[in-house]
Structure formats: structure tokens, C-alpha cells
Amino acid sequence: MNCMKYFLLTGMLFLVLVVTAQKNNAISITGYYSGSATRLDSFPIGKLTHLVFSFGHLKGNQLHISNAGDTACIQKMVGYKKKYPHLKIILSLGGWGGCAPCSAVFSTEEGRNQFAISVKQLAAYFSTDGIDLDWEYPAIAGYPGHTYTPDDKKNFTLLIKKLRQTLGKKQEISFAAGGFDQFIDSSIEWKEVMKIADKVYIMSYDLVHGYSTVSGHHTPLYSTAQQKQSADNAVNKLIEAGVPPRKIVIGAAFYARMFKVEDTINNGLYRPGKFYRGISYSRLTDSINNNMGFVSYRDPIAMAPYAFNAERKILATYDDAQSIKDKTEYAIQNKLGGIMFWQLADDRYHNGLLDVIHNARKTYKRH
């Protein structure tokens, strides 16, 4: 009897430890998706907690889904909830180059009200679970030619308040935030907004981008002496601004950025140059390998991989399986809300980066 009690107690303790570990690691995994409905079945959708349709746009003052293909994509996404009841499907507004009228529309009470009503109507029509705002950017320069004013900062707060008032408590409200200092310092009234919003998705990628004149890591986890902008830098600044860690979601890149630099110093890092091209993770190893003239490196401070072709003077900067694992563990260890990525269509169908995130969340043990 005593032996039986021992085994029962041991088994119960093991179960408690397993459940506690799962609970401690229960960060959200959010994937943005821009692509056709037909490709979605190729990805392990059940490993996501949130799937974000990218993107709806403004038509007048209303959120608008522009074509039959986008409608089919959203309906396909919502259909997954039957198989994966934990999955939330989120509509998203904007994207880079997709929010030209946002500053003007959201500057008026009428514009904010009509937009919120349209979001509620679309959520009811599609049976979606929330709205994500990808306005790049309120109050500071973003996509070339897009209007912005200092008033955007306050108007963004009013927009979030109107959305919550209109949508109620059950719909999630999130937004994508630039992962660089200027956005964090100038675009958002953090304490007011984060009382209401459920999540802020830090775009801790494109930290060197298509307009950069000096190369660097485009999606590093940590800052270096040469590059302050990083996921960790953004997280620390948001916490200092009063954002609860549980509402912060860091970003990962399922694509590489390639830069043509002027010389071979430092294997192409932090050198004068210009953006060359992007490439999806699914095609990364076919294009960036020894046979193509690239040598791979890993920055132990930034915890970021990169590769350099010295003959062509091309630097490639990206996330890989190790850096994705590191980011996922960072989110768990720092008790953040989760990890997100742009975008699912760039992943491999099998043994991709989403699988890495899922496995890292499942197996990570807190120290």
C-alpha cells in the first residue's frame, strides 16, 4: 500500500510539473499570412495560436476586403477553428504601403466610429476574433509619401478606445509597432493604449531595411556596439514606458535581406551599401550557401546569423532555426506575451521555422 501511494504521489507530482511547465511556456505564436487560400493547407496551422489575415485596407472610412480571393482566404482561415478550437483568426489593416489614408481617416470622430463599426460587421460576417492595426506609422514618416502629423499619436489612442467600445471585450485588439527607437518614443501613448489593447506586435525585423545606407542585422535579438536597434532594445524600452511584458510580442523574420556593400571589411557588417533584394526562408539555403559563394557566420552578441559573399560583396541577414529558437526562449524567459513572424507564406512546408517555434515552446525549461 505504501509503495502504491508512493507511485501515485510520484505520478501526480510529475503531472503537476508537466502542466506547470506547459503553462509557464504558454506564449502566443502568431503568424501573419499574405497569400492564396489554397496554400494554407501546406502549413502546420495547428501550431499557431493566432493567424492574421494580411491585409484589409480602407475604403472611405471602412475596413474593406478587396476581392474574392481575400474573402476565400479569410473563410479558409476561419474554417480551421473547427479542427483547432484554440486558434484565433485576426483581420489586419494596412501593412507597409497599405495605410495611405489612415492619418486623415482616424483624425476625425466620424472616421474612427465608421471604421470601428465596419470592423464589427466584418467580424460578425466572417466569425473572426479580432483586429490588428498595421499603420506604418502614426506621427512619424513611414511609407514614402504617406501623410503623417503629430496628432496621429493622440488619434491612435482615440481609435483604440473606439474599437474597444464598439467591439466589446471578447474581440482582440492588437497593433504592429516599429521595433526602432523613433517609433517607440514618438508614435504611441503607451500607457493609455496598452490599458485597452491586448497585444503589441514588435516588428523587430527590417531594422536595417530598403532605405538603409549602412548594412547590419535586420532582425537581431540583442544590440551590439555598432547597432542599438534590436528586439531586446525594443522590449526594454516598452517596459520602461509602462507596457506590461505579458502584452509584448516580439517579431521574427521568415525572410532574408541582402545588401550590396562597398568593401569586404567585417564580412560586410556595418558597411556602407544599399539594399539588394529579399528572399524567403523557404528558398534561403538554395541561394545562400557555399556553392553560391557565401560563407555563413553567427554574431554571438546579437545572437543573429548572417552570410557574406566576399567576391560579390553581398551580405545576407536573416533568422534561422537557432535564432528563432533563441527568440522563442527569450519570450518565455522574460514572461512576454509571445512571438510573431512575417510571414507564413515564406516558411517551408515541412521542418520550417514555425516548427522550431512550436518545439522550442514545448521543450524549453526555465532555469
Side-chain angles (χ1 to χ4, degrees):
M1 188 66 177
N2 289 338
C3 185
M4 181 63 71
K5 284 183 178 180
Y6 171 79
F7 284 118
L8 285 172
L9 288 171
T10 302
M12 290 174 65
L13 178 60
F14 176 77
L15 182 60
V16 168
L17 290 173
V18 169
V19 171
T20 301
Q22 291 175 342
K23 184 178 180 180
N24 287 341
N25 293 358
I27 58 170
S28 63
I29 301 175
T30 301
Y32 284 81
Y33 181 76
S34 178
S36 68
T38 55
R39 287 190 66 199
L40 275 167
D41 282 336
S42 299
F43 300 102
I45 301 297
K47 294 178 179 179
L48 294 166
T49 62
H50 295 70
L51 179 59
V52 184
F53 167 77
S54 311
F55 291 99
H57 299 99
L58 287 173
K59 185 176 182 180
N61 293 340
Q62 298 184 332
L63 179 63
H64 180 64
I65 306 303
S66 59
N67 56 60
D70 286 348
T71 295
C73 189
I74 297 168
Q75 291 172 334
K76 178 80 171 180
M77 289 177 171
V78 172
Y80 286 119
K81 295 202 292 180
K82 293 179 181 178
K83 185 175 182 180
Y84 309 114
H86 69 279
L87 181 65
K88 293 186 183 297
I89 306 301
I90 309 296
L91 299 177
S92 190
L93 165 73
W96 183 249
C99 218
C102 286
S103 180
V105 168
F106 299 142
S107 69
T108 68
E109 184 177 356
E110 179 183 12
R112 294 188 295 269
N113 186 54
Q114 290 184 7
F115 175 75
I117 291 171
S118 72
V119 171
K120 184 176 182 179
Q121 290 171 339
L122 285 173
Y125 177 77
F126 285 114
S127 296
T128 50
D129 302 294
I131 180 70
D132 180 64
L133 304 174
D134 196 346
W135 175 0
E136 301 183 32
Y137 304 105
I140 64 173
Y143 189 84
H146 282 197
T147 302
Y148 62 96
T149 75
D151 291 338
D152 293 339
K153 186 174 184 178
K154 180 64 177 178
N155 292 334
F156 188 86
T157 305
L158 295 174
L159 174 61
I160 294 289
K161 289 181 177 179
K162 177 56 67 173
L163 283 167
R164 179 59 74 207
Q165 179 186 344
T166 305
L167 300 178
K169 295 181 179 180
K170 291 185 178 180
Q171 287 275 305
E172 285 200 9
I173 299 173
S174 61
F175 62 99
F180 52 95
D181 287 359
Q182 187 186 14
F183 181 98
I184 296 170
D185 292 338
S186 304
S187 293
I188 306 294
E189 296 178 326
W190 290 105
K191 288 184 180 179
E192 291 300 312
V193 167
M194 296 313 297
K195 289 177 184 176
I196 303 164
D198 295 286
K199 294 180 178 69
V200 52
Y201 292 121
I202 304 175
M203 293 184 285
S204 43
Y205 43 74
D206 292 345
L207 297 179
V208 291
H209 47 72
Y211 305 96
S212 297
T213 57
V214 176
S215 69
H217 297 295
H218 100 84
T219 182
L221 179 53
Y222 289 102
S223 305
T224 66
Q226 299 88 349
Q227 182 177 334
K228 180 184 177 186
Q229 310 306 319
S230 68
D232 179 67
N233 175 70
V235 168
N236 289 331
K237 285 183 70 70
L238 289 181
I239 291 173
E240 289 173 6
V243 180
R246 70 181 184 281
K247 291 191 173 187
I248 298 173
V249 178
I250 58 172
F254 281 21
Y255 61 97
R257 280 190 172 274
M258 300 171 73
F259 292 84
K260 280 208 164 198
V261 295
E262 295 180 0
D263 54 49
T264 61
I265 296 172
N266 202 33
N267 296 320
L269 270 180
Y270 315 126
R271 304 307 302 159
K274 61 182 180 179
F275 176 67
Y276 174 53
R277 61 174 292 200
I279 185 169
S280 67
Y281 177 74
S282 62
R283 296 173 49 232
L284 189 66
T285 55
D286 294 332
S287 302
I288 300 174
N289 56 50
N290 290 340
N291 292 334
M292 300 296 289
F294 284 90
V295 177
S296 297
Y297 303 94
R298 186 167 300 277
D299 187 326
I301 298 173
M303 294 184 72
Y306 63 103
F308 187 54
N309 184 315
E311 182 178 352
R312 298 175 62 195
K313 299 185 180 68
I314 295 177
L315 172 79
T317 166
Y318 46 88
D319 268 321
D320 64 3
Q322 182 60 53
S323 66
I324 291 288
K325 180 175 182 289
D326 292 337
K327 285 182 175 179
T328 305
E329 293 181 350
Y330 174 94
I332 297 169
Q333 184 63 34
N334 289 279
K335 300 180 181 179
L336 304 183
I339 185 169
M340 67 84 172
F341 56 86
W342 179 270
Q343 65 127 334
L344 186 60
D346 287 329
D347 203 9
R348 296 174 183 167
Y349 293 155
H350 304 287
N351 298 319
L353 295 180
L354 174 54
D355 294 301
V356 174
I357 296 173
H358 172 77
N359 292 335
R361 182 179 70 163
K362 185 170 63 174
T363 60
Y364 179 73
K365 295 181 180 179
R366 290 177 184 269
H367 302 296

